[in-house]
Amino acid sequence: MDQGELSMDKILLIAHTEANGSLSKASLEALTCAKDLAASLSTTFAVGVFGENTAKALEQIGSCGAEKYLSVSGADFKDARYATDSYAVEGIYRKAQASIVIAAGTSRMNRVIPGVAHRVEGVAELHVSSIAGSATELTATRWLYRQRIEAVITRASRPWFLGVDSGNYTAWTGSTSAVTAESVATEAPAACKRSKVVGLESPGSGEQTIKPDAELLMVAGAGWTKKQADGTVHAQEARKTILGFLSKSGASLGGSKAMVDLDSENREAFNFMTHLNQIGQTGTSPRHQKGLSTCCHGEEPHAVGWRFINERRAVNLDANCGWARGKADVLYVADAFAVMAKVNELLSK
Amino acid sequence: MSNAYSIIVCAGLAPDPLQRLEPMDTPTGPALKNEMMLPAVLDPWAACALYEADNLAKKLPGSKVYLVSMALKTKLQQVMMVLSQKVPFELVAIDGPSNGFTDARECASELAQAIEAIPGLDKDKMLLFGGWESATRAAGATMQILGEKLGVVDQFQGVDKIEIEPSGAIKLWERVEGGKQQVSLCESAPVMVGWATGELPEPPNNPQVGMANMRTVMPALQKAKSAAASSSALKFKGVTLPAQVRETRIEKDMPVEAIAQELVTWIRGN
Ligand SMILES: Cc1cc2nc3c(=O)[nH]c(=O)nc-3n(C[C@H](O)[C@H](O)[C@H](O)COP(=O)(O)OP(=O)(O)OC[C@H]3O[C@@H](n4cnc5c(N)ncnc54)[C@H](O)[C@@H]3O)c2cc1C
């Protein structure tokens, strides 16, 4: 469908409930995005929520000003499963008949948005950082080449589904209010239930080291695993220092590729660090206010993962490492073992 | 029940991550400066999918790995020289654009046509693999659309591990928020798996595998269908390289105590 007239756009926010029945921060951010867009296009917006029981979530955003509320609520929709989630999202979309569909970039929504868009002959973009609308055009901003090139795109085709990454909009807040939602479905066909979610696991040591909401990201590079000035590897000391810092500072832990790819000899001491911690080109690009890099060289494939880290400091023995070349605000040329042990001591006071 | 599968790995090419990228405008839309000169690699997460596919095929006798790749033929030829020495596969090549400015939807259409044309493909025994995101478009959309086009509604994204049980049930570990993995069990194939890093290192070069692969790679490249996949529906209003250079203060002679104190003050935000 091609649609020249933007004033005709109808906006729909689709969100899923969390395990406790509420909406996540990411979904509330997407709600702000939908609301802002509706205001700039002088139009209304609808909200669709799916999950095991949507009542609490709907009440949570009951005062957001949506024109209409839709719900897919039932045991079939408890878990994040492509077939049932896409069934729910498709149902909500078909009922609302919106031309712009906004969702938070959670793993659950990202899994289904492009597939559903295709099913309803629409188009989709994930990892959107902002959406802007004017009387004549709707544009979305997103990164290409793993945060190396920023693009502003537009499409005439509708429906257009947009997954907005967390950290770009402030989460909507408002009082709870009872709403009457139109029920779209309460169960899914048997064909959607070939897969079952059987558990949630923490890889590695089981310790939760990835904390998306932390103010600080601490990156540990492969230097922690290398021979030091005395000619030996200090793996246990490194483990103690890194874990000590994480517990005292509340920081989230990232690693370089060289660190997470460690050979088996060193694996045990750093078992709290897995591929999920990897920052960079083939890892993640998390959003934190501050980032502290330790024993990491700051090569380009790693540093692209720092795109959304505002304040950056690094501790490295090498004054010519990548961080020195405009990638960090401050580079301390020093032994990270000594510096971080002292930092831990000061943080304990 | 036979546990022999057609494992179809979809992978594009990406510029070597150590290269500096610069966008430029062309009459047909944005492109990368010197794109033809930039050394290319198999898209990293899709490469993980290929190594996992090989590992699985070795455990499930009778299984076969297909590598379906859309990229400029000359680039594909270069990458195949190295890649074909890694693991055995049958190449299905499509000569078309593979930069980040193409539309996921159009790319998925080309891939779907190429897969549908694989002789004797039994979709009930298909494991459709790819990277969960490319290093070019980074849209995380192509595989879902492709799955839908091929009628695969059991889809998994950010997968790090897969196990096939003797019954044919498929267990998968997907990345979700907070460094956790969601574990799912699907009754049987077909499934679509968008791989994250997986668990396997890059295999070493094996010249024998290379020789065997080359017998099919060359003919596949020669008969590669040209695809026009353009971003006709997708319009770029602007493409920019972020200003990324910071004024770095380099402290060479600061005592450890002073550094630690400065860091703690900074961390505490005062
Ligand atoms: C296709 C591809 C994709 C890639 N993707 C990624 C990615 O996503 N993420 C990523 O990180 N990398 C990625 N890389 C790899 C990247 O190019 C680097 O090899 C990697 O980041 C290096 O990790 P490192 O800095 O921890 O290790 P090293 O390069 O080994 O550096 C270790 C550093 O530790 C310092 N050091 C040692 N001891 C101390 C001490 N006591 N105190 C202070 N400093 C010390 C050294 O000076 C050195 O700078 C990729 C590469 C390729 C080819």
Side-chain angles (χ1 to χ4, degrees), chain A residues 222 226 228 256-257 278-279 282 297 299 302 316 335-336:
Chain A
K226 301 267 165 79
Q228 294 300 308
S256 65
K257 184 172 189 304
Q278 186 184 321
I279 307 293
T282 44
H297 207 74
E299 272 189 38
H302 174 77
N316 197 308
D335 177 4

Side-chain angles (χ1 to χ4, degrees), chain A residues 314-334:
Chain A
V315 185
N316 197 308
L317 285 171
D318 183 354
N320 291 316
C321 67
W323 301 110
R325 293 191 288 274
K327 291 186 175 138
D329 304 314
V330 188
L331 167 65
Y332 302 101
V333 182

Side-chain angles (χ1 to χ4, degrees), chain A:
Chain A
M1 191 196 355
D2 247 28
Q3 181 177 309
E5 278 290 297
L6 254 190
S7 53
M8 301 283 286
D9 266 328
K10 278 176 76 180
I11 297 166
L12 168 68
L13 170 87
I14 304 188
H16 57 81
T17 57
E18 297 300 303
N20 65 5
S22 67
L23 292 183
S24 67
K25 180 167 160 273
S27 295
L28 296 173
E29 291 170 6
L31 173 57
T32 301
C33 173
K35 219 173 136 63
D36 287 358
L37 187 63
S40 63
L41 298 178
S42 307
T43 183
T44 54
F45 69 100
V47 171
V49 179
F50 66 97
E52 185 179 26
N53 186 342
T54 56
K56 185 173 161 189
L58 286 162
E59 198 182 301
Q60 183 184 359
I61 55 165
S63 67
C64 74
E67 177 197 34
K68 187 167 28 173
Y69 294 88
L70 301 164
S71 163
V72 171
S73 192
D76 286 350
F77 307 99
K78 173 174 176 271
D79 291 321
R81 165 172 56 184
Y82 183 88
T84 40
D85 284 355
S86 57
Y87 180 81
V89 173
E90 181 185 351
I92 291 172
Y93 164 75
R94 290 197 189 279
K95 188 61 103 183
Q97 285 297 325
S99 52
I100 302 292
V101 182
I102 293 173
T106 59
S107 62
R108 188 166 183 177
M109 291 311 291
N110 283 350
R111 193 187 289 108
V112 297
I113 286 294
V116 175
H118 170 74
R119 235 181 249 179
V120 301
E121 294 177 43
V123 288
E125 241 71 51
L126 298 184
H127 303 301
V128 168
S129 36
S130 68
I131 305 173
S134 71
T136 52
E137 199 169 49
L138 189 75
T139 58
T141 305
R142 62 179 300 267
W143 291 86
L144 304 176
Y145 291 93
R146 306 281 304 147
Q147 340 320 336
R148 287 170 184 225
I149 293 177
E150 193 172 29
V152 181
I153 56 171
T154 186
R155 290 179 185 269
S157 185
R158 299 287 186 273
W160 192 5
F161 285 63
L162 296 136
V164 182
D165 273 350
S166 179
N168 290 293
Y169 287 85
T170 46
W172 177 85
T173 51
S175 54
T176 57
S177 176
V179 293
T180 317
E182 186 178 343
S183 171
V184 177
T186 52
E187 53 187 58
C192 292
K193 294 185 261 188
R194 285 181 4 105
S195 294
K196 278 192 180 58
V197 173
V198 293
L200 203 57
E201 292 182 2
S202 298
S205 63
E207 197 137 350
Q208 199 199 336
T209 56
I210 298 174
K211 299 174 187 160
D213 292 331
E215 193 184 42
L216 177 69
L217 171 76
M218 183 230 196
V219 159
W224 287 104
T225 71
K226 301 267 165 79
K227 282 185 181 153
Q228 294 300 308
D230 61 0
T232 60
V233 172
H234 296 249
Q236 286 307 327
E237 184 187 343
R239 177 188 171 92
K240 196 171 136 237
T241 309
I242 297 167
L243 289 178
F245 178 74
L246 295 181
S247 82
K248 289 180 178 61
S249 65
S252 185
L253 178 67
S256 65
K257 184 172 189 304
M259 179 58 148
V260 302
D261 281 351
L262 275 187
D263 49 28
S264 50
E265 194 186 329
N266 271 320
R267 214 29 296 149
E268 192 53 36
F270 298 97
N271 65 352
F272 53 88
M273 177 81 96
T274 72
H275 278 117
L276 277 69
N277 294 92
Q278 186 184 321
I279 307 293
Q281 168 93 22
T282 44
T284 59
S285 305
R287 287 172 194 268
H288 299 277
Q289 177 56 28
K290 299 171 191 175
L292 175 61
S293 156
T294 57
C295 296
C296 166
H297 207 74
E299 272 189 38
E300 185 65 8
H302 174 77
V304 293
W306 283 62
R307 177 72 67 219
F308 310 123
I309 309 288
N310 297 338
E311 301 168 40
R312 310 174 185 177
R313 297 193 181 201
V315 185
N316 197 308
L317 285 171
D318 183 354
N320 291 316
C321 67
W323 301 110
R325 293 191 288 274
K327 291 186 175 138
D329 304 314
V330 188
L331 167 65
Y332 302 101
V333 182
D335 177 4
F337 279 81
V339 170
M340 296 311 289
K342 192 73 202 165
V343 166
N344 282 348
E345 196 186 306
L346 294 172
L347 285 175
S348 305
K349 281 186 187 162

